[in-house]
Amino acid sequence: MALSREQIAMRVAQELRDGYYVNLGIGIPTLVANYIPEGMQVMLQSENGLLGMGPFPTEDEVDADLINAGKQTVTTIAGAAFFSSAESFAMIRGGHVDLTVLGAFEVDVNGSIASWMVPGKLVKGMGGAMDLVAGAQNIVVTMQHTDKAGNSKLLPACTLPLTGVSCIRKVVTDLAVVEIRDGSFHLLERAPGVSVEEIQAKTAGTMIVPAHVPEMRV
């Protein structure tokens, strides 16, 4: 069956490595903060000027003045630092973020991403995404495999205005983990109980499928 938002975040957390500096985008990516492996030291960075975010607060921990870039209340870990948005973007543009996790409307076989605008709809806008896709060492996208109408979001070419070109390496959806290289989606893992055939049917872009596709560990 398809993964929940929380399970997608749990799978993305497996991409973290000890010592990483990580930026989490709005939506599913923010949930990754709750699933950092025990004993792993990861510093979460936010565009609005925070380094050292912790898990989402419980009701008695909420501080309305302590928010992430998506205006959600957050917690901090020992050693957290606060600074200006200008300094935060200097970190991003200077290539000091090891991993960025972003949501997306579309991703294509060349690793291009559309994540900020749907014509005719009111969305929050670009935010820091364009800087993040240009400056991060590694970018993972999290999203549903299809839109609400059942149309694939993994495409031969993005149809919406682009956030970045040829910058995405890996996509984690509710159905699969996919690596992007050589102009194709390469199927790495499938959600528990989801068939390769279903994933192929819901992927519009070219997909390379190995002989054996293991199930995700979530």
Side-chain angles (χ1 to χ4, degrees):
M1 60 183 293
L3 300 183
S4 66
R5 291 163 55 89
E6 289 74 17
Q7 288 174 314
I8 295 173
M10 289 172 65
R11 175 57 187 83
V12 173
Q14 296 173 26
E15 300 295 313
L16 302 175
R17 298 292 181 269
D18 200 45
Y20 264 14
Y21 289 85
V22 180
N23 185 287
L24 302 177
I26 295 170
I28 297 173
T30 60
L31 300 174
V32 175
N34 295 336
Y35 301 108
I36 296 172
E38 189 173 349
M40 183 177 288
Q41 186 69 30
V42 173
M43 293 294 280
L44 299 180
Q45 190 257 15
S46 183
E47 297 100 295
N48 58 323
L50 172 58
L51 184 66
M53 281 189 295
F56 277 113
T58 58
E59 192 170 326
D60 61 334
E61 292 176 324
V62 170
D63 180 347
D65 292 323
L66 190 58
I67 59 173
N68 62 17
K71 297 183 174 59
Q72 298 168 306
T73 53
V74 295
T75 62
T76 57
I77 63 172
F82 301 90
F83 36 84
S84 72
S85 183
E87 290 175 298
S88 185
F89 275 92
M91 294 177 186
I92 294 167
R93 293 168 183 167
H96 303 294
V97 176
D98 298 298
L99 174 67
T100 289
V101 185
L102 292 175
F105 300 132
E106 298 175 344
V107 174
D108 69 25
V109 295
N110 295 309
S112 297
I113 176 176
S115 67
W116 70 280
M117 178 183 177
V118 178
K121 292 188 177 181
L122 182 64
V123 293
K124 291 187 177 181
M126 180 67 74
M130 185 173 284
D131 297 273
L132 287 162
V133 298
Q137 304 294 319
N138 186 15
I139 304 155
V140 174
V141 164
T142 68
M143 63 181 186
Q144 304 298 317
H145 209 92
T146 61
D147 62 21
K148 292 180 180 178
N151 300 309
S152 178
K153 297 170 71 172
L154 281 73
L155 305 174
C158 291
T159 63
L160 296 172
L162 294 179
T163 307
V165 176
S166 301
C167 55
I168 307 304
R169 298 183 183 182
K170 189 173 286 186
V171 182
V172 180
T173 76
D174 56 330
L175 301 182
V177 178
V178 174
E179 187 177 57
I180 303 173
R181 52 185 166 86
D182 305 323
S184 299
F185 296 118
H186 292 254
L187 184 58
L188 300 183
E189 301 171 23
R190 55 190 174 85
V194 174
S195 69
V196 169
E197 290 74 21
E198 179 182 354
I199 296 167
Q200 288 178 302
K202 294 180 176 179
T203 305
T206 301
M207 175 169 278
I208 306 299
V209 180
H212 173 65
V213 181
E215 288 190 347
M216 293 185 214
R217 293 181 291 106
V218 290

